Amino acid sequence: MKSLHMLLALLVCAALLVAGCTTAAEGGSQEKPFWTKDTPAPTPNTPTPTVDSEYVSPATPYPATTDRPSPPAQQHPAVTPTTPAHLEVIHEKVVLGYGHPAAAWEINVTQAPLVVEFSVQPKMVTRTVVYESSYGSHKEETKTVTTISDRSRLEVTVRDGDGNIVAQDGFAGLYSVDESKKIFVMSPGKYHLDIRGTDVTVDLSAMIGQTGQTTE
């Protein structure tokens, strides 16, 4: 008889345990056992903008002008480095548009060349175009087209200490729509680097030569 009572007690305990698990599953409980620990999601690494203050200082952009003298023709000489070829003194991502149309820096080029490299991400615009079908009843049809914004422009200018333009290039407008370009300046000195534009994001790098580098 005692064994029967113990068997009944075990069956009741098992039924209560099953009922508790079922209730937790139906209620969608998110509670975790006390011995588990939450592991935070990894934080993505983002590149930090770089400006070498030994060679670079912030500057005021030149006033916008429609007078555009032709800069001297650029040469791309062969470079024979005996140490790492270039020292990167600027590495920034700049968004140009309404409220922030320009940015500028003064660069002390102690060793030529000065190499300015930039990549452009223009603003893209999506439009719905209505056209007449060339088949059957020539009914009107629509399609979605994504193109570069008509306002996307960039101009990159390097001036010498007297304000004369020594190199210039850009994106769209007066320039090609190649999205990656380089500008070379082959003489040491103090230069003013100016970028201005609308509806573009610019990845900008400026590099100068290092002691021990020779050019041919």
Side-chain angles (χ1 to χ4, degrees), residues 4-35:
L4 179 60
H5 288 166
M6 290 180 64
L7 179 60
L8 289 174
L10 289 174
L11 290 175
V12 170
C13 290
L16 290 175
L17 182 60
V18 171
C21 293
T22 305
T23 303
E26 291 177 352
S29 174
Q30 300 299 316
E31 293 183 0
K32 298 180 180 179
F34 68 89
W35 59 83

Side-chain angles (χ1 to χ4, degrees), residues 64-80:
T65 177
T66 56
D67 182 19
R68 302 183 183 278
S70 299
Q74 296 187 50
Q75 299 179 352
H76 298 183
V79 176
T80 306

